[in-house]
Amino acid sequence: MTNETRAVSRRERLRAELLQEIEDTSFAIIDADGVQALSIAALARSMAMSAPALYRYFPSRDALVAHLETASYQQLAAAMSQAVEGSRKAPRTQLRQVVTAYRDWALRYRRRYGMLFGERAGALPGEATTQTPLDQAMAMLVDMLVALQDTASADSTSGDRTLDGQLRRWARSQERPDTPPGVARAAILIWTRVHGIVSLELTGVFDNQAVEAQRLIDLEIDSAVQSMRPTTP
């Protein structure tokens, strides 16, 4: 290795270390006071750096927040994947584990969750033109529901022909083109219902009340799974 190569490698290592420090410090600000408290100036003060020095890494606050959103999506998706990594449990148990991991991450990182789905209004996975790591977690959810589906209901539909077409397009966006509309519908129902319950929980709706959010979520999962089964004439 030449001296020039060593110098380049050292610069790259130092840059990666500083980028990680920027990310860690930014998340510390967000976790404490929310994304609205994050600015290049506030970050520079926390890191004992000058604002112009930080602009060499992120040209604007929006660019920094976009980077942090992507990192947060990755963290959330990783938490969901790790919940069932190497698991040999039944598909329904794994499904509950994945959803529980989603809720646990949201409760632990409330302000990051708010940045993704509240303050900056995140889109339904597969809806945005640019996919996020959360789409991978959504595809995993679809795969679990396919595993849960009875062979007899392989051609299940939503009961709405127009919606079936939309669900097929959505499944293709998740790189799961063979997913029956009924399964795609169940996946979206689980996503929206869990997101709704968790969001209400984070706003304190269930505080000091005899209602357990996790039990509500478990019932919604069971209801969505039940919806995939063919109705008896």
Side-chain angles (χ1 to χ4, degrees):
M1 182 182 293
T2 66
N3 290 336
E4 183 178 353
T5 301
R6 290 193 188 95
V8 171
S9 298
R10 182 173 181 275
R11 285 197 299 271
E12 291 176 345
R13 176 174 56 80
L14 292 175
R15 178 179 175 81
E17 290 175 354
L18 184 54
L19 281 171
Q20 187 61 56
E21 185 180 354
I22 290 172
E23 184 176 303
D24 292 343
T25 306
S26 297
F27 277 134
I29 293 172
I30 291 172
D31 290 342
D33 300 305
V35 69
Q36 72 279 354
L38 180 65
S39 66
I40 297 295
L43 179 60
R45 286 194 298 272
S46 295
M47 297 183 64
M49 292 179 63
S50 68
L54 286 177
Y55 280 118
R56 291 201 294 267
Y57 294 87
F58 294 97
S60 66
R61 177 185 182 276
D62 285 346
L64 173 60
V65 172
H67 171 83
L68 295 172
E69 287 179 336
T70 298
S72 295
Y73 276 127
Q74 291 171 338
Q75 293 165 8
L76 175 54
M80 296 169 70
S81 297
Q82 290 167 7
V84 292
E85 188 174 351
S87 175
R88 295 184 178 180
K89 294 183 178 179
R92 185 174 296 208
T93 300
Q94 291 189 36
L95 177 59
R96 288 193 174 188
Q97 289 175 324
V98 165
V99 172
T100 297
Y102 175 95
R103 175 174 174 258
D104 288 347
W105 189 91
L107 294 177
R108 181 177 181 183
Y109 300 108
R110 294 168 177 255
R111 297 187 186 276
R112 298 185 202 186
Y113 188 85
M115 175 179 68
L116 294 178
F117 302 115
E119 297 160 31
R120 290 174 65 88
L124 182 72
E127 184 179 75
T129 54
T130 302
Q131 290 199 336
T132 73
L134 196 56
D135 287 289
Q136 299 171 8
M138 191 63 172
M140 179 175 63
L141 175 61
V142 171
D143 290 343
M144 288 180 173
L145 289 170
V146 168
L148 277 168
Q149 187 187 40
D150 295 332
T151 304
S153 60
D155 296 322
S156 63
T157 70
S158 69
D160 181 321
R161 185 173 298 177
T162 300
L163 179 59
D164 283 351
Q166 296 170 353
L167 290 168
R168 289 189 180 95
R169 288 193 295 275
W170 178 84
R172 287 196 295 272
S173 76
Q174 298 300 310
E175 299 182 354
R176 297 297 187 274
D178 297 328
T179 303
V183 173
R185 173 180 176 271
I188 293 175
L189 284 176
I190 289 175
W191 164 257
T192 55
R193 291 174 181 178
V194 170
H195 172 64
I197 292 171
V198 169
S199 297
L200 288 173
E201 185 177 14
L202 291 175
T203 62
V205 168
F206 302 129
D207 288 356
N208 302 317
Q209 296 187 31
V211 176
E212 297 178 40
Q214 188 60 56
R215 287 184 180 275
L216 290 175
I217 288 172
D218 289 343
L219 285 174
E220 292 297 344
I221 292 174
D222 290 342
S223 176
V225 170
Q226 185 66 31
S227 73
M228 296 190 302
R229 296 176 181 172
T231 56
T232 303

